[in-house]
Amino acid sequence: GNKAAEKAPLEGTMEENTMKVMEIAPVEFMGGIIPVDLTDTSEDGKWALSYFTGLQSAENVTDVAVYESMMGSQAFSLVLVRTAEGADAKAVAQEMKDNIDPRKWICVGADEIMAAGYADTVMLIMVDSQLGLNAQSYVDAFAQVAGADLDFTI
């Protein structure tokens, strides 16, 4: 059968799980959760969804949390999304990774981008290695939060 469907989905909201990942792999700058309103289908809403997740529409996701720097330009973005029932988590992850702009901060850029999936949850991590961070440590933290091996990392 569908391997991902047999796994129990992550409990809690994407915001709660994002904070768990950040507790395991903290950053030194002031960061926080940035809300993304999936019901906002206006131009602004579509722009925000694409800017933060790389997704062109919210049809395959039901919950999104974004953790980024609240002060100044730090090229760091951790995004967790819960995929909709029937959606292909790996395809969602690939779309996010392919379409996210690692230079969206203008003056700084991320040089490491990874996406990973567990059951119905996808994580996208972008970091600037000059911050002394690496994407893999967030993938590892995500696996710790999941309490199991991830389904994929791309």
Side-chain angles (χ1 to χ4, degrees), residues 59-90:
E59 67 181 339
N60 289 322
V61 292
T62 59
D63 185 10
V64 173
V66 178
Y67 187 101
E68 292 192 2
S69 171
M70 294 297 188
M71 308 277 297
S73 288
Q74 308 279 0
F76 179 92
S77 182
L78 177 79
V79 184
L80 253 66
V81 306
R82 194 180 292 282
T83 55
E85 202 174 333
D88 179 342
K90 193 166 187 181

Side-chain angles (χ1 to χ4, degrees), residues 6-146:
E6 290 160 20
K7 285 193 169 174
L10 281 190
E11 287 179 18
T13 64
M14 292 299 97
E15 182 171 337
E16 288 164 349
N17 283 294
T18 298
M19 295 317 290
K20 286 180 192 169
V21 171
M22 294 308 303
E23 280 164 25
I24 295 167
V27 289
E28 289 183 6
F29 53 82
M30 179 70 204
I33 297 280
I34 298 166
V36 177
D37 181 359
L38 296 178
T39 63
D40 184 352
T41 55
S42 71
E43 285 306 307
D44 282 353
K46 286 180 183 161
W47 175 86
L49 180 73
S50 171
Y51 179 82
F52 288 115
T53 70
L55 296 172
Q56 302 311 299
S57 93
E59 67 181 339
N60 289 322
V61 292
T62 59
D63 185 10
V64 173
V66 178
Y67 187 101
E68 292 192 2
S69 171
M70 294 297 188
M71 308 277 297
S73 288
Q74 308 279 0
F76 179 92
S77 182
L78 177 79
V79 184
L80 253 66
V81 306
R82 194 180 292 282
T83 55
E85 202 174 333
D88 179 342
K90 193 166 187 181
V92 170
Q94 192 69 57
E95 182 185 347
M96 290 170 70
K97 189 177 180 188
D98 289 348
N99 292 301
I100 199 73
D101 178 5
R103 297 209 57 83
K104 67 182 188 171
W105 296 276
I106 315 296
C107 37
V108 294
D111 55 1
E112 287 188 23
I113 308 175
M114 291 176 78
Y118 173 78
D120 62 356
T121 302
V122 170
M123 182 188 82
L124 179 77
I125 175 71
M126 280 201 295
V127 303
D128 177 355
S129 58
Q130 290 179 334
L131 296 172
L133 302 170
N134 67 81
Q136 184 63 49
S137 62
Y138 291 89
V139 172
D140 295 344
F142 178 45
Q144 253 182 274
V145 171

